[in-house]
Structures are given as structure tokens and as C-alpha cells.
Amino acid sequence: MKNTEGDSDVTTITEGFAPYGEYKTWYRVTGDLKSGKPPLLVAHGGPGCTHDYVDSFKDIAATGRAVVHYDQVGNGKSTHLPEKGGDFWTVDFFKAEMHNLIDHLGIRDAYCVLGQSWGGMLGSEFAVDQPAGLKALVIANSPASLRTWVAEANRLRAELPEDVQATLLKHEAAGTTDSAEYMAATDVFNERHVCRIVPMPPEVKRTFDAIASDPTVYHTMNGPNEFHVIGTMKDWTIEGRLSTINVPVLLISGRFDEATEACVQPFADEIPDVRWTIFEQSSHMPHVEEREACMAVVGAFLDDKAA
């Protein structure tokens, strides 16, 4: 038993590893998986981030619903595989990992999924298959197409100061995106469209630091940053496939989000049972930037649709 930060109630926290073939997926459960409410599985973004920056979703456990965080293989406390290339890191690999974790935890009969950014892309890929036991889905700050994401990122870049734009272009052309000057220019974008709390909160910094220490998955599938997407996922889209999702879906985005309204719109257009909340003071992380309001919206949706 452990007292979670900011809570007066004592909440059970369990950590473990789920064997996934020859690899291991680290997970943490906040609350009781047998509480009677379908637990919430939280899929982090990236690809290549860690659970740390979405840690705040543990607040949902206060509603009596267990919350499961995990680090996808290649990241955080799970098995790292820096030798693997683009043919290994695929949507199907991470989708199978999610299925494996659900079965390992014994929650196949009833569970919900919340995916943030890439996690929402993964969650939508998961949900279009109509998996057994899925009761509700939250897609948070996710694009339905990375081509639209890149187009919108270029539009947002064009609004940055001219010297910042010039620095970004110079280093991208030279292939020196690991330089300190380029990273400083990237921070200007991040502070507008990724997390508007400056300096970034400790849990968000832990994720950024983790990516820096092992960028294998992020660089392979995405690229060097949020807007220079040159990895294996650059042509990914789920547009045209979303109508098969047969559970209630909540969309979340921020008014200043790099996942702009154009990025999110196909989810709203194609998913049969969907609603969309835009947080007016947030960018890409309403769960951090407007934490209390975000948890209230997610908690109410889950209690309404997956009680």
C-alpha cells in the first residue's frame, strides 16, 4: 500500500513485468483491477516516449477505476533494443504488445484504452480490429494522418520567429539536428505547441531525458523531433478505416496543440460514437497543462460509457 502524490486516500500500487516473447513490458497498476469498473490502460506517445509524462492519468483511480501505465518495449523500464531497425519497430509489434499486456493482467473481459499522441494512433489501430473486451477509447492529442501532421507542423513552424525558422532549416539541410543550436530552436516550438508550462514539469522532463538517452524508437519511427518527421511512420494514416470502431470514443486536444483540429478532424468525422473536447489553455498535454479539468472530462466519460 502506498499513498499517491496529492491524494489523501491510500491507493494500492502494483508494479511488474509482462513477458512479451523474449522481451519484457514494465507496467504499473494504480488501484484495484477487480474494483468492478473496467480498468483504464494508458498508452504513451512517441513512438519512443515513456509513461512518465502521462503519469497524471493515475488521478482517474480516485474514481474507483484502476489505471494501468506501461512502458512500451524499447523504452523506459521495459526491454531496450538499440540494435533493432525500422523493420522491427512496427504498429503491429506494439499492438501485439498491448494485447499481450491485457491478457497478462487478466482484464480481457472488460477494459478501456487511453492513448496519448502516438498512443492514440496505436489505440485507434487497436480499436479498428474490434478487440474483445474493449469498452471505451480515449484518443488524446493524436493525428489521424502523419501527412496532415507534417503539413500542420510546417504551418505552425511558419509562425515561429524568422531566426528560429532559419536555424531549423539550416541544421535539417546539413543533417546536424543533434546540435545544441538546433535543439534550442526546437524548444521554441515545444514551448508553444507541446507543453506550455515552462520550465516543463519534472515528469515531462523525465520522458524527454529518456528519449535523449536512448532515441532508438523515436528516431527510427518518427525522426529527430515533433515536426521533422522522416522516420518509418511518415506516411502512416488511419483515415478511411475508423468506421469499424464499435465503442464510445472521446477525443481530446488543446487549442494550441501540434495535433491541430485538422489533424483530429478525421476521427470526429469517421468514428460512429464520438465526442470531442478542446482544452482552451493547453497545447499537446492537457493532462499536464489543465490537469484537473482534463481528469474530470476523462473520468466523467468513462463513468458514463464504461461504468
Side-chain angles (χ1 to χ4, degrees), residues 113-137:
V113 170
L114 182 151
Q116 200 279 336
S117 196
W118 144 253
M121 296 157 61
L122 177 61
S124 64
E125 287 276 8
F126 182 83
V128 296
D129 295 339
Q130 300 183 352
L134 180 63
K135 300 303 180 184
L137 173 66

Side-chain angles (χ1 to χ4, degrees), residues 37-304:
K37 291 185 176 183
L40 177 65
L41 180 68
V42 179
H44 65 68
C49 291
T50 66
H51 78 283
D52 299 271
Y53 83 100
V54 286
D55 182 67
S56 59
F57 284 111
K58 68 187 179 187
D59 293 357
I60 298 297
T63 68
R65 185 184 310 274
V67 179
V68 181
H69 283 81
Y70 74 106
D71 286 333
Q72 295 156 28
V73 164
N75 311 289
K77 300 177 183 180
S78 295
T79 305
H80 284 239
L81 300 162
E83 73 281 4
K84 298 294 187 181
D87 58 339
F88 181 85
W89 304 111
T90 65
V91 169
D92 285 345
F93 176 83
F94 289 110
K95 191 161 61 171
E97 180 186 27
M98 185 180 290
H99 276 289
N100 181 74
L101 179 58
I102 288 165
D103 290 332
H104 175 82
L105 294 172
I107 58 174
R108 174 60 67 183
D109 287 347
Y111 58 91
C112 306
V113 170
L114 182 151
Q116 200 279 336
S117 196
W118 144 253
M121 296 157 61
L122 177 61
S124 64
E125 287 276 8
F126 182 83
V128 296
D129 295 339
Q130 300 183 352
L134 180 63
K135 300 303 180 184
L137 173 66
V138 181
I139 299 174
N141 319 98
S142 307
S145 164
L146 281 183
R147 288 187 177 182
T148 303
W149 172 276
V150 170
E152 287 293 279
N154 287 333
R155 180 178 66 81
L156 296 176
R157 275 179 63 151
E159 298 173 358
L160 297 175
E162 289 187 6
D163 61 325
V164 174
Q165 294 183 53
T167 298
L168 293 171
L169 288 171
K170 177 182 71 174
H171 287 287
E172 288 164 4
T176 51
T177 56
D178 58 349
S179 70
E181 185 180 41
Y182 183 80
M183 292 179 182
T186 298
D187 286 343
V188 177
F189 180 92
N190 290 346
E191 289 171 5
R192 290 189 180 196
H193 302 297
V194 180
C195 183
R196 293 169 72 84
I197 299 176
V198 181
M200 66 178 66
E203 70 273 21
V204 179
K205 186 176 187 302
R206 286 198 300 272
T207 286
F208 275 86
D209 289 346
I211 295 172
S213 66
D214 183 0
T216 302
V217 180
Y218 189 73
H219 284 182
T220 300
M221 296 181 74
N222 183 81
N225 57 47
E226 295 294 277
F227 49 80
H228 192 44
V229 180
I230 56 176
T232 57
M233 290 285 290
K234 65 182 184 296
D235 295 321
W236 175 87
T237 182
I238 199 165
E239 292 177 352
R241 296 189 282 135
L242 292 162
S243 63
T244 65
I245 295 178
N246 61 352
V247 298
V249 176
L250 171 66
L251 304 175
I252 288 174
S253 63
R255 182 60 66 192
F256 306 98
D257 206 330
E258 58 181 339
T260 63
E261 291 184 46
C263 291
V264 179
Q265 191 65 51
F267 293 121
D269 291 341
E270 294 184 32
I271 296 172
D273 184 357
V274 65
R275 69 279 300 141
W276 185 358
T277 297
I278 299 175
F279 289 90
E280 296 295 333
Q281 305 303 318
S282 295
S283 57
H284 198 51
M285 300 187 186
H287 59 277
V288 173
E289 296 161 295
E290 295 180 72
R291 178 170 176 169
E292 185 174 346
C294 182
M295 297 307 141
V297 167
V298 173
F301 166 74
L302 293 174
D303 280 348
D304 182 37

